[in-house]
Amino acid sequence: MRILGISGLYHDSAAALVVDGWIEAAAQEERFTRKKHDAEFPKHAVEYCLSVAGCGLDELDAVVFYDKPFIKFERLLETYLSFAPRGFQSFKMAMPLWLREKLFQKQIIAKELKKLSPGFDVEKLLFTEHHLSHAASAFYPSPFEEAAILTMDGVGEWATMTLAVGKGNDLKVHKELHFPHSLGLLYSAVTYYIGFKVNSGEYKVMGLAPYGEPRFARLMLEKLVDLKEDGTFHLDQSYFNYSVGLTMTNDKFAALFGEPVRGPEQLLTQFHMDMAASIQAVTEEIVLRLARSVRAETGMKNLCLAGGVALNCVANGKLLREGIFEGLWIQPAAGDAGGALGAALAGYHLFHGKPRDVPAKGDAMRGSYLGPEFGPAQIEAELTTAGAKFEVLDETALIEATAQGLADGKAVGWMQGRMEFGPRALGGRSILGDPRSPAMQKTLNLKVKYRESFRPFAPSVLREDVADWFELDGDSPYMLLVADVREELRREMTAEEKALFGIDKLNVPRSSIPAVTHVDYSARIQTVHAETNPRYHQLISRFKALTGCPVVVNTSFNVRGEPIVCSATDAFRCFMGSEIELLVVGNCILRKEDQDPALKLDYKEAFELD
């Protein structure tokens, strides 16, 4: 039985294919079109999924879309009516788009599917609810026979948060919190207020938070959020504008905190850092209260998470350390792209009633390496066409040369195997560096990623060594948990390092691996497992043999403003548009000094900084 799941037409379009309950393929449309957060129908992602299965659309048993547009339209209308006459301008702008493109999405999706396969039977097109898709994506691939499932995001149709329970192949939603009361939208409102883009800048707020103090947290809980003991809450809508306006917050919100909305190019001040710390603290308090009440209400020992808020790895780390649940599993594609996978799994287990096999070891996501991979001939052909100068090595020589490059302080572009599904690079499409280098964080941020210098980088660490380097003794394969660097590895930053980083704060904490240690000694950890990514595991093992350090810097293989690379052509373009010094694609190795200078790209000019 083949079930295709689709998400999109709002943002982060994606497709996923499940065959007899096995996740065969999943990918975001942005990786193919090179348009970040591409919202168009995921034509290329669908074609990729079908190519993996070796079948056509007309051979599928069902195509499942991840939400129900008519219910979403009902919410839109009811919201505008309840706030009228406020929001008329927004209503006037939204209605033509809905009536032209969004309301009749079944016809639009059917039309796109028929373009791909004229014989496609429209009766096979099904719809599931947004948060049910998230819940399915969290529970069905998890390692648990039964679990509570908490989904938290901006908004689906009406729901902004749901509690579900999964047992075997059954999954039922028990409770919902409804729009406009939304943890995701609250976090996005502060993201907007601090001057970052909604739906992409939330990571920046989380990264900025450790530089501040949560001095506004109490004010937020007194004025913005009426938080109950069980974690449910109501937001005072008089401070917000997202329900019917064109902005997230209003003048009353700005007056409450005493500063106007920050412009994107304005200097970040201590005020903005304190706002980030405050919304992070409020988010963590809500998540912890929710988790406690879910455990008490359901009696479940395991918890699964999905929805955009589940990408807040700092909150996830605190939840793990609290020990409220014996088992915690988070869907790596927790945002809307993962809704495609949840829709496909719901189609298989719920709509068709098929049984579920719980993995004997690990989970069913296969390391989240579910995207395209490219054979040696195709890689070499693409690099040749691009004008690249490269050398082809056997695996042993390739690992040795790459590990030595890392040990020598080089920034390395690393493209191997299948592309990751979800927002994190996990050693399939990554930029790597030496974590021991005090200069590496600043170098990668400013010269490779072209982004703010405060942004932290993640460590990839051998699973067998994680407890020796971090305050974590467990799996974190998807970079969704934050833990501290072990105390014996910590030290204060030297005067020379402070000058290098341009930081004038006193007592800035660092560690033996400063490039992956945030200012509060924390790190967003990825444990690397030989079973799911053997070549990446070999590379880090060889780096450990050379340096004594089983950790490498891992950040996504892209520059600010573009999606993570997919193909060898994408990788070479990024290589030539940044100060990456070594590129390793399949068994091909490329050195920057060997390349034709005429092929250099000015990425800084080509992409607007977001």
Side-chain angles (χ1 to χ4, degrees):
M1 176 171 280
R2 302 183 183 100
I3 310 284
L4 180 73
I6 295 174
S7 65
L9 306 180
Y10 298 99
H11 58 88
D12 293 314
S13 295
L17 186 70
V18 170
V19 179
D20 291 334
W22 178 253
I23 305 169
E24 285 284 354
Q28 293 118 291
E29 185 71 1
E30 66 167 20
R31 307 294 173 84
F32 304 96
T33 63
R34 314 308 302 154
K35 298 175 186 175
K36 197 164 185 178
H37 304 301
D38 195 340
E40 297 298 314
F41 177 83
K43 171 182 178 292
H44 301 87
V46 169
E47 289 177 330
Y48 156 68
C49 288
L50 295 175
S51 72
V52 171
C55 70
L57 267 174
D58 52 350
E59 297 174 79
L60 299 176
D61 293 274
V63 175
V64 188
F65 191 68
Y66 82 130
D67 73 4
K68 294 186 175 181
F70 271 108
I71 301 176
K72 190 168 283 191
F73 184 66
E74 173 195 81
R75 186 252 299 167
L76 189 75
L77 285 179
E78 287 195 25
T79 300
Y80 280 124
L81 285 171
S82 66
F83 281 91
R86 276 181 60 203
F88 177 72
Q89 185 63 29
S90 175
F91 176 80
K92 192 168 72 170
M93 292 175 66
M95 281 307 101
L97 181 65
W98 267 90
L99 295 173
R100 186 176 66 250
E101 296 179 13
K102 294 186 175 182
L103 182 57
F104 304 104
Q105 279 183 359
K106 182 172 183 178
Q107 293 94 315
I108 294 168
I109 296 165
K111 182 180 177 182
E112 293 293 337
L113 292 170
K114 279 186 170 292
K115 283 182 186 176
L116 295 174
S117 177
F120 176 73
D121 181 1
V122 178
E123 294 301 313
K124 292 181 179 180
L125 179 57
L126 308 172
F127 292 78
T128 183
E129 291 191 1
H130 185 98
H131 275 262
L132 183 64
S133 297
H134 278 319
S137 77
F139 175 61
Y140 289 124
S142 79
F144 309 133
E145 178 63 36
E146 57 181 36
I149 308 113
L150 196 55
T151 68
M152 302 170 286
D153 66 3
V155 61
E157 293 86 5
W158 275 105
T160 63
M161 184 185 297
T162 63
L163 164 62
V165 172
K167 295 182 180 181
N169 74 333
D170 189 40
L171 189 159
K172 286 186 173 66
V173 174
H174 287 245
K175 285 187 174 181
E176 296 182 345
L177 184 68
H178 282 182
F179 181 88
H181 311 292
S182 165
L183 180 55
L185 291 174
L186 173 65
Y187 205 97
S188 292
V190 177
T191 299
Y192 163 84
Y193 180 66
I194 294 175
F196 299 130
K197 279 187 178 179
V198 172
N199 290 329
S200 64
E202 286 80 1
Y203 301 126
K204 299 179 186 181
V205 175
M206 187 174 63
L208 191 63
Y211 290 92
E213 297 294 331
R215 61 188 179 98
F216 300 112
R218 178 176 292 183
L219 185 60
M220 289 179 178
L221 290 171
E222 287 176 353
K223 297 293 186 179
L224 304 181
V225 189
D226 179 13
L227 179 61
K228 308 302 182 186
E229 193 58 39
D230 65 356
T232 60
F233 58 89
H234 277 68
L235 300 182
D236 184 339
Q237 289 300 298
S238 68
Y239 291 94
F240 301 95
N241 204 31
Y242 59 75
S243 290
V244 290
L246 303 176
T247 60
M248 294 298 294
T249 62
N250 56 26
D251 291 343
K252 186 177 178 181
F253 188 101
L256 178 66
F257 296 104
E259 293 277 352
V261 175
R262 173 182 164 266
E265 300 305 320
Q266 289 179 311
L267 187 69
L268 281 166
T269 67
Q270 192 61 49
F271 169 80
H272 302 112
M273 298 173 193
D274 292 347
M275 282 295 294
S278 300
I279 189 58
Q280 182 63 34
V282 169
T283 298
E284 290 165 13
E285 181 62 25
I286 291 172
V287 169
L288 290 175
R289 288 195 191 188
L290 282 167
R292 293 187 193 105
S293 67
V294 167
R295 178 64 194 262
E297 184 172 333
T298 66
M300 290 290 171
K301 296 179 180 179
N302 303 309
L303 178 68
C304 301
L305 298 177
V309 176
L311 294 170
N312 193 307
C313 50
V314 178
N316 296 342
K318 291 203 172 182
L319 180 57
L320 180 71
R321 290 190 294 277
E322 283 286 313
I324 299 167
F325 289 88
E326 293 177 18
L328 175 66
W329 192 85
I330 307 151
Q331 167 54 241
D336 276 9
L341 177 59
L345 290 166
Y348 185 78
H349 294 295
L350 294 179
F351 296 176
H352 287 88
K354 295 294 183 180
R356 171 176 175 250
D357 293 323
V358 179
K361 183 181 179 184
D363 58 51
M365 285 297 293
R366 300 162 67 183
S368 212
Y369 305 111
L370 298 167
E373 63 180 330
F374 302 90
Q378 185 171 355
I379 289 171
E380 291 175 35
E382 285 193 29
L383 291 175
T384 301
T385 300
K389 303 290 190 297
F390 59 90
E391 184 181 0
V392 180
L393 303 177
D394 64 33
E395 184 164 63
T396 301
L398 187 85
I399 295 294
E400 182 65 32
T402 308
Q404 189 61 60
L406 289 169
D408 292 340
K410 289 182 168 61
V412 177
W414 176 258
M415 176 186 152
Q416 300 291 328
R418 297 186 73 172
M419 182 177 69
E420 302 91 337
F421 181 53
R424 311 289 194 221
L426 301 169
R429 304 290 187 275
S430 293
I431 297 171
L432 310 177
D434 184 348
R436 303 168 304 153
S437 165
M440 186 58 66
Q441 181 189 15
K442 188 172 183 180
T443 297
L444 288 179
N445 268 325
L446 299 182
K447 294 186 176 182
V448 175
K449 301 286 283 187
Y450 302 128
R451 69 185 197 181
E452 302 91 346
S453 61
F454 70 81
R455 301 275 293 278
F457 288 105
S460 288
V461 56
L462 298 177
R463 171 62 184 90
E464 53 269 32
D465 291 316
V466 65
D468 296 329
W469 289 74
F470 302 97
E471 300 290 348
L472 175 72
D473 189 9
D475 295 346
S476 180
Y478 303 123
M479 210 183 285
L480 287 169
L481 295 170
V482 162
D484 289 347
V485 174
R486 286 188 66 87
E487 192 166 354
E488 59 266 31
L489 299 175
R490 303 177 193 177
R491 60 175 175 77
E492 296 302 325
M493 186 182 280
T494 65
E496 292 78 12
E497 287 171 342
K498 286 181 184 179
L500 178 67
F501 277 83
I503 294 173
D504 57 6
K505 282 187 174 183
L506 297 176
N507 301 318
V508 176
R510 302 308 292 169
S511 74
S512 300
I513 42 175
V516 294
T517 305
H518 209 7
V519 293
D520 58 353
Y521 289 121
S522 68
R524 177 163 47 99
I525 297 165
Q526 180 203 1
T527 53
V528 179
H529 303 245
E531 299 85 358
T532 53
N533 197 333
R535 182 170 278 195
Y536 194 35
H537 191 275
Q538 287 175 43
L539 173 64
I540 301 174
S541 297
R542 184 57 192 150
F543 180 74
K544 177 186 177 183
L546 291 174
T547 66
C549 178
V551 182
V552 297
V553 178
N554 176 12
T555 187
S556 56
F557 197 161
N558 64 321
V559 298
R560 185 182 184 188
E562 75 157 1
I564 295 172
V565 304
C566 176
S567 67
T569 301
D570 302 333
F572 181 69
R573 186 169 185 265
C574 190
F575 174 59
M576 295 304 292
S578 66
E579 295 189 40
I580 297 173
E581 297 153 283
L582 197 66
L583 174 62
V584 185
V585 185
N587 277 41
C588 300
I589 190 164
L590 296 79
R591 296 171 177 83
K592 183 61 69 65
E593 62 269 21
D594 296 338
Q595 307 308 312
D596 182 352
L599 296 176
K600 183 172 174 59
L601 295 171
D602 193 344
Y603 258 73
K604 218 167 184 179
E605 293 295 325
F607 288 91
E608 281 189 31
L609 301 185
D610 54 4

